[in-house]
Amino acid sequence: MIGASLGAAAYERASEISAILAVANPVGDRRLARLSSRPDVVLALSGIGISFGGVKALSDVDLEVEVGEIRAVIGPNGAGKSSLINIISGLYHADRGRIAIGGQSFSRVPASRLARLGVARTFQNLALFGGLSVRNNIACGRVHTRRASFVEHIAGLPRARSEDAGIAEKTDQIVAFLHLESVADRLVATLPYGLQKRVELARALVAEPKLLLLDEPMAGMTATEKAEMAGFVRAARDRHGVTIILIEHDIGVVMGLSDRVAVLDYGRKIADGTPAEVRADPAVIRAYIGTAEGENGEDIR
Amino acid sequence: MAVQALDAARLPVDWAKLVQKLALATALFVVAYGVVPAYASGYLVEAILLPFLALSLAAVGLNLLTGYCGQLSLGSSAFMAVGAFGAYNFNLRVEGLPLAVTMILAGISAAGFGVVFGLPSLRLRGFYLAVSTLAAQFFVQWALTKFGWFSNDNPSGVISAPHLAVAGLSLDSATGRYLLSVTTVMVLTALVWRLVNSATGRNFIAVRDNETAARVIGVPVLRTKLLAFAISSFIIGIAGVLWAFTYLRTVEPAGFNLDRSFQILFIIIIGGLASIRGAFLGAAFIVVLPLFLSRLGAFLFGGLFDSGVLDMSQRIVLGALIIIFLIAEPSGLSALFDRLKRRIGSRSS
């Protein structure tokens, strides 16, 4: 209740700010302000550009993501997909352009406030806490909701206990949702790769984000595991109503899963539309046939 | 109400385990407060138990920072010095301050220092951070020698332990000092145990295992690191008080040199990183090793094995052991202990 009214207040304030920005800044920002004030747009990027040591990883990329859709971003190796997700989550700072998340507009997204902005993500190369059990890894995903201090935790005061209980309940729900019961108390580092990927998805989902960024969630998986993961991603959207941005290298995986697909090549967006539209786009076909498609590997840096 | 019901549902009570734990705790209390004060010789208490307890506590403190939170520090001995000289001055300058309050204030002073010298951890990692904590080591030793005020203008900077008493009961005897030490260590260790098993402790581990992921999910990384430095230094500071007041009785700043910092680091490497039990196993090992070596040396080589040779052989053995542990058993004595327990358990069943 309080959270909702606070969110609304923040939303209003952000809309005001972006309105002011729209007056002070050129066309792109005005467009962003219009987009970010639309309640059905969860995320809007406008004119994003970033270079690493003179190499342009992304230039002038626009993207908007609507509530409840699964939005895929695909492209060959080195197309800039991971840079894009890292900019949205604040790990990289774009040289140009703005990012609007849920009505708030940023030139640099503050990574430390990301969870409170309602954004969760997974990483291309697993980023779990190897020294914690599966359950504790997942519970960490709700750390942004904790208020109790370390003294309250040591003393076991009511606030710390009720936070723990609330988080344990949410964790159990996600553990059941992703069928992780049998491994819940094992150290996460001892699990096979496919399961670790699933734990990462669980840690992101337990935060109950509005927007979920998945960075190659199916990379390195077997065909069965891929199908299973695709099922979980779809279920996460259908049951939890979370909006999803899915970065994938493998064009085949995303076509059946996503509502809209954006295609990056050499840091530029070359196509954007429904899977059918994208598949028929000559620029996409050229980009994919012209490169070594199908190899799994690090795509940017 | 709902919370309790949930707890009960989540934790099916394992009675056998509970009884085992209770028995272990009772045994610990009986030994700590019954057997040792009644039967232990003065030598055992003064030369083994008192340094063991102080070093164990320091190792528990460092393990919190290095083992759990992943921040490598070479400044432990400086924080011990701040604790020891802090306690000395609080006791000296505030009339009638109870011993417990003196110790807590000393710990808080050390915590303050820890936070200041932990600030580089916000930008530096690994060995670079370790080198920056050396600054604490050199600064504290320099300041305590340079400014006579800290040692009440003693010409060589030496401080002596004050009269120790709790609620009018004198604790100056070897047994009294042991009781003070063992109680302090048990209380603080229990608190640390609660901490590392709480959400705060899991934040420490999250920062250690993957700082980027920790930041993105909302762990306040900077605050967590500084908190680790503060709590760790608080505990190490109180360990310094025990070291100065219950074990050595007179200390000079040079007694808290870099060697001591390394010693505490070696304790947690040998005992096991991110393990409270490891801190105790490692400290026991480090305290007993020189005694063992000197007995063995005297037995094998007689008069040839003097203190100089002992010191050398101790360094060689310790150095070799650290290399062996880092390669063969990075989880230290604690992991060996677990393996042994499992083997015995599987044989008896």
Side-chain angles (χ1 to χ4, degrees):
Chain A
M1 196 63 200
I2 298 169
S5 63
L6 273 180
Y11 175 77
E12 274 169 28
R13 200 169 62 238
S15 310
E16 279 166 31
I17 293 169
S18 32
I20 294 164
L21 281 171
V23 175
N25 288 302
V27 190
D29 280 342
R30 201 171 306 148
R31 204 177 65 82
L32 184 80
R34 201 181 60 234
L35 276 173
S36 62
S37 61
R38 258 172 59 192
D40 59 333
V41 172
V42 182
L43 176 83
L45 305 181
S46 94
I48 294 295
I50 189 170
S51 327
F52 296 106
V55 180
K56 279 188 178 170
L58 287 173
S59 41
D60 203 25
V61 172
D62 296 340
L63 187 76
E64 74 243 28
V65 182
E66 288 172 11
V67 170
E69 71 174 336
I70 297 179
R71 189 78 154 97
V73 177
I74 62 170
N77 282 340
K81 307 184 296 288
S82 282
S83 295
L84 192 71
I85 213 168
N86 283 337
I87 287 170
I88 298 169
S89 54
L91 297 180
Y92 294 172
H93 296 309
D95 302 331
R96 288 168 301 281
R98 294 192 69 82
I99 303 119
I101 299 174
Q104 295 193 52
S105 173
F106 304 96
S107 59
R108 300 172 148 213
V109 178
S112 54
R113 276 179 51 211
L114 196 67
R116 265 174 286 160
L117 287 169
V119 183
R121 69 166 288 177
T122 65
F123 292 80
Q124 183 180 352
N125 305 309
L126 292 164
L128 290 164
F129 309 126
L132 292 175
S133 70
V134 169
R135 196 184 289 283
N136 282 338
N137 263 282
I138 298 171
C140 277
R142 286 198 72 78
V143 70
H144 67 286
T145 63
R146 288 187 184 272
R147 295 291 170 271
S149 69
F150 77 98
V151 178
E152 290 172 274
H153 282 297
I154 292 176
L157 296 185
R159 182 159 72 156
R161 287 168 57 91
S162 70
E163 276 181 10
D164 282 349
I167 289 173
E169 198 186 337
K170 289 254 193 294
T171 304
D172 282 349
Q173 286 167 6
I174 296 292
V175 164
F177 175 57
L178 294 180
H179 308 315
L180 289 164
E181 295 98 335
S182 60
V183 294
D185 294 312
R186 273 177 54 186
L187 272 187
V188 77
T190 65
L191 297 187
Y193 178 80
L195 275 180
Q196 292 197 19
K197 280 277 198 194
R198 211 191 291 174
V199 175
E200 244 202 288
L201 177 65
R203 186 181 65 188
L205 276 179
V206 81
E208 295 177 337
K210 289 200 278 290
L211 177 64
L212 177 60
L213 313 172
L214 301 175
D215 193 355
E216 303 212 12
M218 293 148 205
M221 284 187 163
T222 64
T224 329
E225 285 175 327
K226 277 184 187 177
E228 207 179 16
M229 184 57 106
F232 286 134
V233 170
R234 193 177 293 119
R237 191 267 307 267
D238 294 346
R239 279 200 232 164
H240 297 258
V242 53
T243 307
I244 293 167
I245 296 184
L246 178 67
I247 299 279
E248 255 304 327
H249 173 83
D250 182 351
I251 196 165
V253 174
V254 295
M255 285 306 179
L257 186 58
S258 33
D259 301 310
R260 282 197 293 164
V261 182
V263 186
L264 293 180
D265 191 29
Y266 293 111
R268 292 184 172 278
K269 190 166 84 172
I270 57 168
D272 195 348
T274 63
E277 285 167 8
V278 164
R279 195 176 301 155
D281 195 312
V284 178
I285 295 164
R286 207 161 40 241
Y288 265 85
I289 290 171
T291 58
E293 196 258 314
E295 279 174 13
N296 269 323
E298 182 69 32
D299 73 324
I300 202 78
R301 248 199 238 240
Chain B
M1 196 58 202
V3 173
Q4 277 167 354
L6 205 80
D7 273 355
R10 282 181 47 77
L11 301 169
V13 181
D14 187 345
W15 286 105
K17 215 164 200 175
L18 199 70
V19 168
Q20 199 186 352
K21 270 188 183 160
L22 221 64
L24 215 69
T26 317
L28 188 70
F29 269 90
V30 169
V31 171
Y33 290 106
V35 178
V36 170
Y39 299 108
S41 68
Y43 172 78
L44 180 66
V45 170
E46 296 259 9
I48 297 179
L49 288 178
L50 288 175
F52 161 71
L53 287 167
L55 287 178
S56 299
L57 188 60
V60 167
L62 182 64
N63 223 341
L64 205 54
L65 181 66
T66 303
Y68 286 94
C69 198
Q71 310 299 307
L72 189 54
S73 158
L74 289 175
S76 315
S77 150
F79 303 132
M80 283 176 84
V82 172
F85 280 80
Y88 173 78
N89 280 291
F90 282 121
N91 186 276
L92 182 74
R93 294 170 206 284
V94 185
E95 194 72 34
L97 200 63
L99 185 59
V101 179
T102 307
M103 286 170 80
I104 290 170
L105 287 175
I108 291 173
S109 316
F113 253 83
V115 170
V116 171
F117 284 97
L119 285 173
S121 73
L122 307 185
R123 301 303 296 268
L124 301 175
R125 271 174 218 166
F127 283 111
Y128 300 98
L129 175 64
V131 169
S132 86
T133 58
L134 278 178
Q137 186 61 51
F138 295 128
F139 173 79
V140 168
Q141 236 178 308
W142 169 80
L144 292 178
T145 320
K146 169 88 178 171
F147 303 105
W149 184 85
F150 289 117
S151 53
N152 203 18
D153 292 318
N154 182 297
S156 49
V158 174
I159 57 167
S160 298
H163 169 61
L164 301 174
V166 169
L169 250 89
S170 169
L171 295 174
D172 287 324
S173 69
T175 311
R177 281 180 280 135
Y178 161 77
L179 287 174
L180 171 66
S181 196
V182 82
T183 309
T184 310
V185 171
M186 291 215 294
V187 168
L188 286 175
T189 304
L191 295 181
V192 169
W193 188 83
R194 296 268 314 170
L195 179 77
V196 298
N197 287 297
S198 75
T200 309
R202 291 197 289 274
N203 280 356
F204 286 3
I205 295 174
V207 167
R208 175 194 72 189
D209 286 351
N210 199 316
E211 200 177 310
T212 306
R215 188 152 50 105
V216 166
I217 63 173
V219 174
V221 173
L222 307 186
R223 201 146 37 103
T224 302
K225 283 183 179 176
L226 291 184
L227 185 67
F229 265 97
I231 300 175
S232 157
S233 308
F234 178 86
I235 290 159
I236 296 175
I238 290 183
V241 182
L242 294 183
W243 183 260
F245 284 11
T246 69
Y247 171 50
L248 288 178
R249 311 284 281 148
T250 42
V251 278
E252 51 179 345
F256 295 105
N257 58 10
L258 189 57
D259 279 1
R260 182 82 51 228
S261 292
F262 272 118
Q263 190 181 36
I264 296 162
L265 185 63
F266 292 164
I267 288 175
I268 64 171
I269 290 174
I270 290 178
L273 290 168
S275 152
I276 290 177
R277 184 178 55 188
F280 286 88
L281 291 173
F285 183 83
I286 288 275
V287 170
V288 173
L289 179 70
L291 303 174
F292 172 76
L293 278 182
S294 80
R295 292 281 160 88
L296 186 74
F299 176 73
L300 291 177
F301 305 107
L304 277 174
F305 201 83
D306 57 22
S307 63
V309 181
L310 170 66
D311 194 50
M312 275 304 174
S313 61
Q314 193 187 327
R315 278 162 195 267
I316 292 167
V317 170
L318 202 61
L321 276 173
I322 283 166
I323 294 171
I324 291 169
F325 266 106
L326 284 178
I327 294 169
E329 186 53 278
S331 312
L333 287 173
S334 184
L336 282 180
F337 192 81
D338 270 341
R339 211 172 300 153
L340 200 71
K341 210 166 68 177
R342 231 172 297 142
R343 195 161 296 172
I344 293 169
S346 67
R347 196 167 295 169
S348 68
S349 61

